[in-house]
Amino acid sequence: MSTTATLPTITLGTDGPLVGAQGLGCMGISEFYGDTDAAESRATLDRALELGVTLFDTADIYGSGHNEEFLADFVRANRADLVIATKFGIVRKADDPSYRGFDNSPGYIRTAVEASLRRLGVDTIDLYYVHRRDPRVPIEETVATLAELVAAGKVKALGLSEVTGDELRAAHAVHPIAAVQSEWSLFSRDVERTAVPAAVELGVAFVPYSPLGRGFLTGSFRSAKDLGDNDFRRSQPRFTGDNAERNAELLAPLAEIATAHGITQAQAALAWVHARAEVHGLPVVPIPGTRKRARLAENVAAATVRLTAGELATLEPIAAQVAGERYADMSFTSAGRE
């Protein structure tokens, strides 16, 4: 395969996979962000690989399995050139689209991994995440079960999503954790309290999801009216009521920095996330999601943008001023358990 890679590479964890410094979140291909175009989404996957993106992120609940199935042909066609990450642990109900339950039990994990392997059409999952913690199951028990999957060759590396620093330490003591995936952006910095320091301490990589604040940091929104009827952000606190307009006003410094660099506001926001690697001293691989080739190229270009110390200082106060939590129910996030 001929590529024109533009991204540097980063190792996830001590012995985890080598990936491009920016990945691709694939959730929006299947649902949550309005209507999708299958042909353009597939073209975006191909273009991502050409640009050096090698970490492709999905989960068994995205489209209730559809996302893994959609990725299958692409993954099989490029198996040696990419790292496929998927997740388990969130349970949905077919008759209640809003329902979210959690299951980290050993039996559920063994069933979930087989289902993901089948949908993806692969023999091994490169990076397998606990999507959300199930408070009924000790994290040590969950990771012990995952370690069995590693020993059986069904999974290569383990990841955790939305865990606290103490939870990460407890998990890592059972089996090495390659990556922690949590929301991290100019608008969402609660992970810096305990999860990031623990990751630095243990040599675990960080994979920020929603590094563009679910699109808010692009400057495209001022109210929920800017979103389609089937867009889940209509129920997110930061996009609703007076919060949306208040949060939009916080973006003026970001817009000024983008103008100074001759880049888009989205690129400046992503550059801030990439800068966290040097600020905190750990590998950081954000996974912005997009279904369009043009946006993909824009996002990848942000990986080589360097913000100055003065610009970073200018952006420092923003997170503390954001109106609204990142979810209506924060109990299943790391911040909700700290």
Side-chain angles (χ1 to χ4, degrees), residues 187-209:
F187 269 16
S188 303
R189 297 180 59 180
D190 49 83
V191 294
E192 295 178 28
R193 290 200 292 267
T194 70
V196 168
V200 173
E201 170 191 324
L202 300 171
V204 175
F206 227 90
V207 179
Y209 73 80

Side-chain angles (χ1 to χ4, degrees), residues 215-223 226-227 233 239 248 251 265-266 295:
F216 209 121
L217 293 165
T218 66
S220 302
F221 309 103
R222 293 202 69 88
S223 76
D226 298 322
L227 302 171
R233 289 172 292 184
F239 286 85
L251 299 178
Q265 193 166 298
R295 291 298 184 197

Side-chain angles (χ1 to χ4, degrees), residues 32 66 229 291:
F32 297 114
H66 171 270
D229 292 340
R291 299 165 293 188

Side-chain angles (χ1 to χ4, degrees), residues 22-235:
Q22 187 167 288
L24 179 64
C26 300
M27 180 182 77
I29 291 173
S30 297
E31 63 174 332
F32 297 114
Y33 290 110
D35 297 334
T36 64
D37 180 329
E40 178 63 17
S41 293
R42 174 54 197 261
T44 299
L45 295 175
D46 291 331
R47 183 58 177 151
L49 203 55
E50 292 173 354
L51 293 176
V53 174
T54 57
L55 176 62
F56 293 83
D57 184 271
T58 182
D60 58 3
I61 70 154
Y62 298 162
S64 298
H66 171 270
N67 203 243
E68 290 178 327
E69 293 172 348
F70 182 87
L71 289 171
D73 287 343
F74 170 72
V75 172
R76 287 195 297 267
N78 301 283
R79 191 66 188 97
D81 300 308
L82 58 76
V83 170
I84 186 67
T86 192
K87 316 177 195 73
F88 76 91
I90 300 180
V91 180
R92 302 180 72 174
K93 291 182 177 180
D95 59 351
D96 183 0
S98 65
Y99 175 81
R100 297 292 185 273
F102 307 99
D103 196 339
N104 291 176
S105 64
Y108 181 83
I109 294 171
R110 296 185 184 106
T111 299
V113 73
E114 295 296 341
S116 286
L117 287 167
R118 182 180 66 254
R119 286 189 291 263
L120 287 165
V122 298
D123 297 323
T124 305
I125 293 167
D126 298 314
L127 178 58
Y128 201 38
Y129 286 101
V130 182
H131 205 165
R132 292 293 186 271
R133 285 272 293 112
D134 179 353
R136 301 168 300 176
V137 182
I139 197 166
E140 295 88 346
E141 181 179 334
T142 299
V143 177
T145 303
L146 291 171
E148 294 175 6
L149 301 183
V150 174
K154 297 180 185 295
V155 172
K156 291 183 180 179
L158 303 183
L160 303 172
S161 181
E162 290 288 354
V163 292
T164 67
D166 285 344
E167 290 168 344
L168 175 55
R169 292 184 183 93
H172 195 77
V174 176
H175 186 280
I177 302 300
V180 169
Q181 181 178 137
S182 288
E183 186 169 354
W184 198 7
S185 73
L186 266 173
F187 269 16
S188 303
R189 297 180 59 180
D190 49 83
V191 294
E192 295 178 28
R193 290 200 292 267
T194 70
V196 168
V200 173
E201 170 191 324
L202 300 171
V204 175
F206 227 90
V207 179
Y209 73 80
S210 296
L212 293 173
R214 296 187 175 85
F216 209 121
L217 293 165
T218 66
S220 302
F221 309 103
R222 293 202 69 88
S223 76
K225 297 177 183 178
D226 298 322
L227 302 171
D229 292 340
N230 59 344
D231 194 310
F232 92 111
R233 289 172 292 184
R234 279 183 166 272
S235 65

